[in-house]
């Protein structure tokens, strides 16, 4: 019988190759984030602790502007809620998978990101690999990539010049890749098409500044009412 250490090592070896593409994206973006914060006068401790404690890429970029602006906690709360509302749906999707006791389960919840969610939801985990340890190592590896890059970016920010124009498109590109990856794994695209249709409709009705929350509410209602059909449609081929 395998020891806990042997089980964990096997899971780490299986998880690491899955995170290599994420490492490439995370390290680049997090270094850019560290440099970006340095450009506004924040030393490396700010991006380091913000990455360790917040660990939410888009929100961290937005937080730079919030820190430079007049203190407005209510606006910061609602802005963060709008940006990260999608994690409500991620959490619902992972309720069964993340039923793990102890610190390991708590870290899985804290460390969920778009890319980590995508891997843990869709990865074909070998039968001899412990699923809990696999998901833990996917999560902690991605977390480590982001925090390490943020520290490096903050440390070297004063030594290099970094043009942040167009940086936000890198995040958009990541979301597109995740969506396409999920699309290719679905037997049916009913849930994906529903999400696209609802988002497009709300964009037309509410405009680009106000469509996120209505979209999330409508999608949540659809997922709740059509839970079983969508779960079957989302099974991989």
């Amino acid at each position: 019988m395998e020891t806990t250490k042997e089980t964990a090592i096997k899971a780490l070896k299986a998880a690491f190759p899955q995170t290599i593409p994420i490492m490439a994206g995370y390290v680049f973006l997090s270094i850019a984030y560290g440099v970006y914060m340095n450009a506004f006068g924040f030393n490396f401790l700010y991006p380091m602790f913000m990455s360790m404690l917040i660990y939410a890429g888009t929100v961290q970029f937005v937080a730079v502007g919030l820190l430079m602006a007049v203190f407005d906690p209510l606006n910061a709360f609602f802005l963060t809620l709008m940006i990260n509302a999608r994690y409500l749906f991620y959490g619902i999707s992972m309720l069964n998978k993340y039923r793990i006791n102890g610190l390991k389960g708590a870290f899985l919840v804290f460390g969920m990101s778009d890319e980590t969610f995508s891997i843990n939801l869709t990865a074909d985990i070998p039968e001899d690999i412990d699923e809990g340890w696999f998901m833990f190592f996917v999560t902690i590896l991605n977390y480590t990539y982001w925090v390490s890059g943020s520290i490096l970016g903050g440390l070297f920010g004063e030594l290099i010049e970094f043009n942040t124009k167009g940086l936000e498109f890198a995040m958009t590109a990541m979301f597109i890749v995740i969506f396409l990856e999920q699309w290719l794994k679905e037997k049916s695209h009913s849930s994906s098409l529903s999400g696209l249709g609802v988002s497009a409709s709300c964009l037309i009705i509410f405009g680009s500044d106000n469509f996120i929350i209505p979209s999330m509410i409508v999608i949540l209602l659809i997922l709740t009412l059509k839970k079983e059909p969508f779960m079957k449609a989302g099974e991989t081929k």
Side-chain angles (χ1 to χ4, degrees):
M1 182 178 291
E2 289 183 342
T3 64
T4 301
K5 181 179 179 181
E6 291 172 336
T7 300
I9 292 174
K10 283 181 63 176
L12 174 59
K13 290 179 179 179
F16 176 67
Q18 299 280 345
T19 67
I20 292 175
I22 309 303
M23 177 175 61
Y26 268 23
V27 170
F28 169 77
L29 285 173
S30 57
I31 288 177
Y33 166 67
V35 174
Y36 183 64
M37 285 213 73
N38 183 271
F40 283 89
F42 298 99
N43 65 40
F44 80 96
L45 293 175
Y46 282 87
M48 180 179 75
F49 282 111
M50 288 177 71
S51 291
M52 290 174 63
L53 301 176
I54 299 174
Y55 187 51
T58 307
V59 169
Q60 289 180 227
F61 278 96
V62 172
V64 179
L66 294 175
L67 289 173
M68 299 298 294
V70 177
F71 181 62
D72 187 354
L74 191 61
N75 177 62
F77 171 78
F78 282 110
L79 183 60
T80 303
L81 177 63
M82 286 191 294
I83 294 172
N84 281 344
R86 65 189 182 277
Y87 288 105
L88 171 65
F89 307 100
Y90 294 173
I92 292 173
S93 301
M94 302 300 284
L95 281 176
N96 291 328
K97 281 180 170 286
Y98 279 9
R99 287 183 177 177
I100 300 173
N101 296 325
L103 293 176
K104 186 164 64 174
F107 185 76
L108 286 174
V109 175
F110 165 76
M112 183 185 290
S113 65
D114 301 291
E115 296 74 23
T116 300
F117 164 77
S118 180
I119 294 175
N120 285 341
L121 181 67
T122 63
D124 296 322
I125 305 173
E127 293 184 1
D128 61 332
I129 300 297
D130 181 87
E131 183 181 43
W133 278 112
F134 177 88
M135 294 189 297
F136 172 78
F137 281 118
V138 167
T139 305
I140 200 168
L141 284 169
N142 288 342
Y143 175 80
T144 302
Y145 303 150
W146 182 263
V147 174
S148 300
S150 299
I151 296 172
L152 288 174
L155 287 172
F156 293 108
E158 295 182 359
L159 304 178
I160 60 176
E161 294 183 1
F162 186 77
N163 185 0
T164 60
K165 184 178 180 180
L167 182 64
E168 65 277 3
F169 181 75
M171 298 297 291
T172 302
M174 252 188 183
F175 286 127
I176 293 173
V177 170
I178 293 170
F179 175 79
L180 291 176
E181 179 74 14
Q182 186 63 30
W183 178 279
L184 294 173
K185 288 178 175 289
E186 292 174 340
K187 285 184 176 180
S188 169
H189 304 304
S190 54
S191 59
S192 297
L193 292 173
S194 296
L196 289 174
V198 169
S199 300
S201 299
C202 289
L203 177 61
I204 294 171
I205 296 171
F206 298 101
S208 59
D209 294 330
N210 303 301
F211 82 100
I212 296 178
I213 295 300
S215 298
M216 293 295 184
I217 293 173
V218 175
I219 292 173
L220 177 60
L221 291 174
I222 293 174
L223 289 175
T224 302
L225 295 173
K226 300 289 186 180
K227 179 181 177 182
E228 293 300 324
F230 283 159
M231 286 182 68
K232 291 179 181 178
E235 294 175 355
T236 56
K237 296 178 180 180

